[in-house]
């Protein structure tokens, strides 16, 4: 984890969004995570890169859009993004707040924009395949 100076907030690490065209060259920072979670996150990132390239054409054929994967560095960035996606789907503030808290555990697929969201601070090796697999339905 990053070290915060007393009285200062830790610097925010931005989320990154990638498609099959950009994911190979993606440099996704996981240095803010604990060592054990860094290892899991790096494996998930590698899996996501392979899966996105493998299913991108199927997703594009089915949805008309490029498959996008959003890598969230923290649960806070994931929860905020998921809340916004749920609101786009027509959920009330209360529903979106509860569902985003529940979904932020590992990842989420948003039917509103077709994006897959992965929370790097909690993902497991199954998360990328599960959520990306939902995107082509």
């Amino acid at each position: 984890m990053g070290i915060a100076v007393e009285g200062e907030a830790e610097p925010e690490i931005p989320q990154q969004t990638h498609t099959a065209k950009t994911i190979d060259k993606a440099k996704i920072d996981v240095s803010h995570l604990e060592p054990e979670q860094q290892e899991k996150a790096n494996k998930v990132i590698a899996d996501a890169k392979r899966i996105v390239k493998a299913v991108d054409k199927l997703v594009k054929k089915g949805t008309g859009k490029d498959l996008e994967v959003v890598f969230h560095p923290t649960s806070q960035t994931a929860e905020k993004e998921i809340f916004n996606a749920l609101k786009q789907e027509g959920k009330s503030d209360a529903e979106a707040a509860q569902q985003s808290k529940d979904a932020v555990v590992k990842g989420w697929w948003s039917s509103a924009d077709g994006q897959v969201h992965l929370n790097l601070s909690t993902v497991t090796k199954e998360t990328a395949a599960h959520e990306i697999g939902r995107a082509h339905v």
Side-chain angles (χ1 to χ4, degrees):
M1 287 271 185
I3 298 172
V5 176
E6 189 174 326
E8 292 182 20
E10 285 191 42
E12 188 172 318
I13 301 164
Q15 67 190 30
Q16 294 185 32
T17 303
H18 293 284
T19 66
K21 295 173 187 164
T22 63
I23 202 163
D24 267 344
K25 295 181 181 179
K27 302 268 191 245
I28 300 165
D29 182 16
V30 296
S31 64
H32 63 286
L33 301 172
E34 295 295 331
E36 184 177 312
Q37 189 60 30
Q38 283 181 18
E39 187 176 329
K40 286 181 188 176
N42 281 323
K43 287 179 182 178
V44 168
I45 292 165
D47 286 348
K49 288 179 177 185
R50 286 190 297 275
I51 296 166
V52 166
K53 289 180 355 187
V55 301
D56 180 61
K57 289 181 182 172
L58 288 173
V59 171
K60 194 166 193 165
K61 184 176 181 183
T63 66
K65 299 178 182 178
D66 288 328
L67 174 59
E68 292 184 333
V69 179
V70 182
F71 295 95
H72 295 277
T74 66
S75 293
Q76 291 79 14
T77 62
E79 186 175 336
K80 181 179 176 183
E81 188 73 20
I82 292 167
F83 175 87
N84 292 335
L86 289 166
K87 289 293 293 175
Q88 285 182 338
E89 291 178 6
K91 303 288 184 189
S92 70
D93 284 351
E95 288 174 313
Q98 184 58 51
Q99 289 181 17
S100 64
K101 285 185 189 308
D102 294 342
V104 81
V105 174
K106 298 176 188 172
W108 179 263
W109 171 69
S110 170
S111 62
D113 58 17
Q115 291 181 326
V116 171
H117 299 267
L118 299 175
N119 178 359
L120 295 177
S121 64
T122 57
V123 292
T124 62
K125 64 181 183 175
E126 296 85 9
T127 308
H130 175 81
E131 297 302 342
I132 293 170
R134 295 179 67 197
H136 83 282
V137 180

